[in-house]
Amino acid sequence: MTLGRHAFKPRSTLFFDLDGTLIDSAVGITQCVAHALTLMDQPVPPQDELRRWIGPSLRTSFAPLFANPADIEQAVTYYRERFDVVGWREHEVYPRIGQVVQELHDRGHRLAIVTAKNEPHARRIIDHLPFGSCFDDVIGATIDGSRSEKPQLVAEALQRMSLTPDQCWMIGDRRMDIAGARHHAMRNIGVLWGFGGADELQLAGAQHLANTPDDLLTLLA
């Protein structure tokens, strides 16, 4: 039997966001933000406002509150001190996402994490997930913030994994994920179980929306 010429076409590489895509990290992130703001003598906003901090880089979120760059760095330090001790464990894995990640891995997709969370913290979280071994690499923000925006992070992932944008998909829950993909003309999927929502993702230009993790198996078939 002669195999078709596409029989051995490699599967796409999938870049997954972390917060709001694989894990519900609202408790850990918002508690660390509140901790930092308290130590900086800033009022702590209500929970629904704190949830808006999930997705952007820390410096982007702290910047409007402090005129002095040194204060921004101090707030980031306070956040990370709590996150390093307890915040990194304050999350829940979304139902079914682990099984879907495993299935995509078993289908032959290469998987990687691309997140605005600093890379050491992201690696620690992935190392403790039951499906963490499915990911070839974890690409996160640098400690000094020199690499923190999604277009930069996607570029780093492409370079590190020797890939071109047409070989990849970006999967995430916030407008930043879609913007990072579109910056590189990369296919993308916005997920609706996280922190962004359909309106935000559609306005950002998401190509596809997934209502549940299992929808990823259909969209990526």
Side-chain angles (χ1 to χ4, degrees):
M1 180 177 67
T2 302
L3 295 176
R5 63 190 181 94
H6 297 298
F8 297 108
K9 183 179 179 180
R11 294 276 190 172
S12 300
T13 296
L14 310 178
F15 294 160
F16 278 86
D17 177 47
L18 179 55
D19 299 311
T21 302
L22 300 182
I23 59 173
D24 182 347
S25 49
V27 172
I29 292 174
T30 59
Q31 289 301 307
C32 290
V33 172
H35 172 77
L37 293 175
T38 298
L39 292 180
M40 295 296 293
D41 295 320
Q42 292 287 318
V44 177
Q47 185 70 15
D48 61 337
E49 291 185 33
L50 286 174
R51 287 173 67 89
R52 297 174 189 168
W53 292 63
I54 304 170
S57 68
L58 285 176
R59 290 174 178 84
T60 297
S61 296
F62 279 123
L65 302 179
F66 304 104
N68 188 340
D71 289 336
I72 297 173
E73 292 306 309
Q74 185 61 67
V76 170
T77 297
Y78 285 145
Y79 175 101
R80 286 178 173 164
E81 285 174 351
R82 186 186 185 279
F83 197 90
D84 194 56
V85 175
V86 65
W88 73 276
R89 292 188 280 109
E90 294 176 319
H91 63 256
E92 298 289 338
V93 176
Y94 286 109
R96 285 288 301 160
I97 192 65
Q99 294 91 330
V100 167
V101 165
Q102 185 66 59
E103 172 64 22
L104 291 168
H105 178 267
D106 292 347
R107 287 182 182 181
H109 291 283
R110 291 182 73 192
L111 310 179
I113 299 295
V114 180
T115 175
K117 190 181 294 299
N118 82 68
E119 191 165 306
H121 283 160
R123 286 186 177 277
R124 188 189 305 178
I125 291 169
I126 295 301
D127 285 346
H128 284 78
L129 293 181
F131 53 93
S133 62
C134 292
F135 296 97
D136 284 6
D137 205 349
V138 177
I139 296 87
T142 53
I143 297 296
D144 65 2
S146 59
R147 184 182 71 234
S148 61
E149 301 302 324
K150 222 50 183 242
Q152 295 174 304
L153 295 161
V154 171
E156 174 69 12
L158 292 170
Q159 189 277 327
R160 200 183 291 185
M161 300 180 73
S162 300
L163 295 166
T164 57
D166 63 294
Q167 296 174 294
C168 308
W169 291 74
M170 181 71 219
I171 301 165
D173 69 308
R174 296 297 313 275
R175 56 185 170 78
M176 291 75 72
D177 302 308
I178 305 304
R182 294 189 68 192
H183 180 84
H184 295 278
M186 183 181 294
R187 293 167 292 177
N188 60 80
I189 300 173
V191 305
L192 299 181
W193 54 86
F195 303 111
D199 289 345
E200 174 180 316
L201 291 165
Q202 287 173 331
L203 283 172
Q207 289 178 300
H208 306 277
L209 295 179
N211 286 291
T212 69
D214 285 285
D215 288 343
L216 297 175
L217 297 176
T218 302
L219 290 168
L220 294 164

